[in-house]
Amino acid sequence: MAQSLPVSPLAKPLPPLHAVPGVKLGAYEANIRYKNRLDLVMFQFESSTQVAGVFTKNLCPGAPIDWCRNALQVTGGTARALVVNAGNANVFTGQAGKITTQETAEAAAKLVGCRPEEILLASTGVIGEKLDSHKITTPLPHLFSHMTETKWEEAARGIMTTDTFAKASTRKTTINGSTVIIQGIAKGSGMIAPDMATMLCFIATNAAIPAPILQELLAENIQDTFNSITVDSDTSTSDTVLLFATGTAKNTPPFSSQSQELNHFKKALHEVLLDLALMVISDGEGAQKIFKVCVKGAQSDNSAKRIAQSIANSPLVKTAIAGEDANWGRVVMAVGKSGEPANRDTLSIMIGGIPVAINGVAVKNYDETPVVAHMKTPNILIEVDLGIGQGQSHMWSCDLTHGYIDINGSYRS
Amino acid sequence: MAQSLPVSPLAKPLPPLHAVPGVKLGAYEANIRYKNRLDLVMFQFESSTQVAGVFTKNLCPGAPIDWCRNALQVTGGTARALVVNAGNANVFTGQAGKITTQETAEAAAKLVGCRPEEILLASTGVIGEKLDSHKITTPLPHLFSHMTETKWEEAARGIMTTDTFAKASTRKTTINGSTVIIQGIAKGSGMIAPDMATMLCFIATNAAIPAPILQELLAENIQDTFNSITVDSDTSTSDTVLLFATGTAKNTPPFSSQSQELNHFKKALHEVLLDLALMVISDGEGAQKIFKVCVKGAQSDNSAKRIAQSIANSPLVKTAIAGEDANWGRVVMAVGKSGEPANRDTLSIMIGGIPVAINGVAVKNYDETPVVAHMKTPNILIEVDLGIGQGQSHMWSCDLTHGYIDINGSYRS
């Protein structure tokens, strides 16, 4: 079971967490699938809290994804609460799954005193098993009555499934002179996992930012963070990132996502998202190392992205990283298999900043010592220059080890 | 090293092999990279032998691929010999790699007494290391002078790299009443591998079939065979399938690839290609089981193919097969992540012929016993019905085990 997995060697300790004014939260042991651990989490937000969301592109999403997409549409981007459970993803559960989301939202709305559509939902865990709403709605009043502004750590633990460590990140910054806080939690190890699943991320700020602008900020900053990580190329049916802005900082709201006054906020939001995204791959199933793939000189940024993805997802590249083998031949292969424009004779590769191949030929008699030393570190850098254009992009990934097979190749039992 | 790998539990013994009239061949220990094993192979063909070829779609192909593509163009599809080496793929070797192919072809052409372009070449092995042509051209005269019609087994062994067993298939059939033989050898374990690499397949027949028709027959039959297998989604820079027709059977040549008179030949060719393709994945690095993914009810055949590929390549599906876990939730995930049109509520899944999910919901109280028994066999069948159209396709793959990590995650040295 998840609890008995050894903690990732790349685990980060929780930073000191703060209250985010306008947010109360808590966690509870609801025994949805796990015993003796927190598995039900609730956030409550000040009235008129704005929300933005980004969801899985998987075309067979879970019922909570359908619920959230519709709720954001109906409310135009306001939310009063979020209910999350771990242990059952409520995916591939047909009409029953839809009823569970409706009943859960109604129960939470009654407690909070709002419309059901102002309740957002997320579930993570086993796929294809019915999730009875009473498993959530029965303990919910107790959880609701015990929420405080300070239970961020419990919430971070309560959403874990195969995660081996709790994930949170926090920043203080300013908008128009007002100090604001941005703080988030995340979970996820494989992009999806057997009995467990999914990447979830919930971020709250006390800044006042209208929902349409919040959505633009999230969409813009997700590209280089959560949309630039991969564990095993598999895409969960439940991936969710939600960003809540309670507005209690009472800053003058920005007029546009491009306003100069948002520059500090954007930087801090990007840092929180990147922190959490890298923690997710650092907890990739069996991960011992993470690596960044930087591609430049491609025909376009999109082309560079697809090449970076091809390298970051290649099982042969990922096993080479695990084996501390500076095997650039596999990088060439992954460039070629991406199907993107590339020219063998202008292709150059650097590992750990050291050129190993230039213009299609291995660097002669290069000093392998620093490359070998770099491969032994837990953070590997692979740079590829296609030499045919100006496009650039990057991806982060983790190595593929025996641990991945152990975790994913065992009986469900 | 390759030689010390345990033989795949899915290994097939070599069938009794025959002479293919018009073909002489042999193998030699040239010490290109491996000691104490055959690593240089040559085929010689009767004059006016016709040839068809299918090559890797990887956009960073090896120099021998460039050579073959050009040679087929120049000759219009005739060949007098084939030279293959194992141990060095001559990939990413720049101008030096091009010179090696030229010098090798010239040396072989001199021995045979033909134009260099009538010599085809294939190399498999490490990427990015210069392949000196003299390593091939020096032993070539000795190899050439010892070739016979019967050395098929030596040739099958001579092209092996990480393969744990030699692969060959043979059929007898008729064209217009003339008995003809179709016989081939193949190598390949991962789609590409570290020090070794690639899938190679060479088939010869004594049938008389003009090159343009031979090319159509090969292209048509490759789709459901070599283009429908995957080990790790990684695509070699050197994949090559060549089909030679010596014409010594002196049958009346067919006028079209659609001629009725080719029906038996097509069936036999398909069987040889499928035999060899399944042997390649049975020798997938670390493979303990193979599985077939059949997709129907998709919007189109192409869409079905992409869904089948998504399932067949999913590390989570492949580890579930390894763990003998009938984890259909991962199949749903892989359908969804393919990005192809799919509807959760019409999606049905069968494992080993037993329905486990129908129209988006798990089958209630289904008898798991036969499914569990099926998962313990070495040949697993996963069927997916999208329920939205008439498109269908299939893929074969192998499981993802600790063996894969052992083979690909170890140091190169």
Side-chain angles (χ1 to χ4, degrees), chain A residues 117-148:
Chain A
E117 288 77 14
E118 291 178 294
I119 308 295
L120 295 180
L121 303 173
S123 298
T124 174
V126 68
I127 284 178
E129 279 184 19
K130 208 179 145 193
L131 172 60
D132 287 326
S133 61
H134 74 81
K135 285 195 169 179
I136 297 174
T137 56
T138 305
L140 205 62
H142 181 87
L143 166 55
F144 181 74
S145 64
H146 288 77
M147 299 200 301
T148 73

Side-chain angles (χ1 to χ4, degrees), chain A residues 186-249:
Chain A
K187 63 119 338 199
S189 40
M191 278 300 100
I192 183 177
D195 279 82
M196 0 251 154
T198 290
M199 188 277 299
L200 299 179
C201 173
F202 309 115
I203 299 174
T205 176
N206 58 336
I209 301 177
I213 295 179
L214 203 63
Q215 184 68 38
E216 286 177 44
L217 294 177
L218 180 60
E220 189 181 311
N221 284 287
I222 209 86
Q223 289 310 328
D224 275 352
T225 57
F226 277 102
N227 280 353
S228 293
I229 59 171
T230 180
V231 169
D232 55 13
S233 84
D234 282 338
T235 310
S236 157
T237 44
S238 309
D239 289 342
T240 299
V241 179
L242 294 170
L243 171 59
F244 301 90
T246 65
T248 51

Side-chain angles (χ1 to χ4, degrees), chain A residues 57-63 66 91-95 127-129 191-195 232-237 285 310 313-317 319-320 322-330 332-345 347-349 357-362 366 368 376 400-412, chain B residues 57-63 66 91-95 127-129 191-195 232-237 285 310 313-317 319-320 322-330 332-345 347-349 357-362 366 368 376 400-412:
Chain A
K57 289 184 186 132
N58 194 302
L59 297 175
C60 298
D66 288 345
V91 169
F92 217 54
T93 43
Q95 187 59 22
I127 284 178
E129 279 184 19
M191 278 300 100
I192 183 177
D195 279 82
D232 55 13
S233 84
D234 282 338
T235 310
S236 157
T237 44
E285 289 159 341
S310 178
N313 279 324
S314 161
L316 287 171
V317 171
T319 48
E324 302 186 338
D325 173 11
N327 193 322
W328 57 269
R330 297 185 187 181
V332 178
M333 172 281 302
V335 171
K337 84 162 178 165
S338 72
E340 293 299 317
N343 179 349
R344 204 171 47 188
D345 300 330
L347 182 59
S348 298
I349 297 171
I358 296 179
N359 291 332
V361 186
Y366 82 99
E368 221 184 18
K376 292 186 186 299
L400 173 57
T401 69
H402 285 293
Y404 185 87
I405 310 284
D406 283 335
I407 296 165
N408 291 303
S410 56
Y411 284 91
R412 254 182 312 181
Chain B
K57 289 183 187 133
N58 194 303
L59 297 176
C60 299
D66 289 345
V91 169
F92 217 55
T93 43
Q95 187 60 24
I127 285 178
E129 281 185 18
M191 280 297 101
I192 184 177
D195 280 81
D232 54 14
S233 84
D234 282 338
T235 310
S236 158
T237 45
E285 289 159 340
S310 179
N313 278 323
S314 162
L316 288 170
V317 171
T319 47
E324 304 187 336
D325 173 10
N327 192 321
W328 56 270
R330 297 186 186 180
V332 177
M333 172 283 300
V335 171
K337 84 162 177 163
S338 72
E340 293 298 317
N343 180 348
R344 204 170 48 192
D345 300 331
L347 183 57
S348 297
I349 295 171
I358 296 177
N359 291 331
V361 186
Y366 82 99
E368 220 184 17
K376 292 187 188 299
L400 174 57
T401 69
H402 284 293
Y404 185 86
I405 310 284
D406 283 335
I407 295 166
N408 291 303
S410 56
Y411 285 91
R412 251 183 312 178

Side-chain angles (χ1 to χ4, degrees), chain A residues 48-51 77 175 180 182 205-215 217 243-248 251-254 256-257 262 265-266 269:
Chain A
S48 77
T49 288
Q50 305 290 290
V51 62
I175 297 185
V180 300
I182 306 177
T205 176
N206 58 336
I209 301 177
I213 295 179
L214 203 63
Q215 184 68 38
L217 294 177
L243 171 59
F244 301 90
T246 65
T248 51
N251 55 287
T252 315
S256 147
S257 67
L262 281 174
F265 183 86
K266 278 185 190 177
L269 176 62

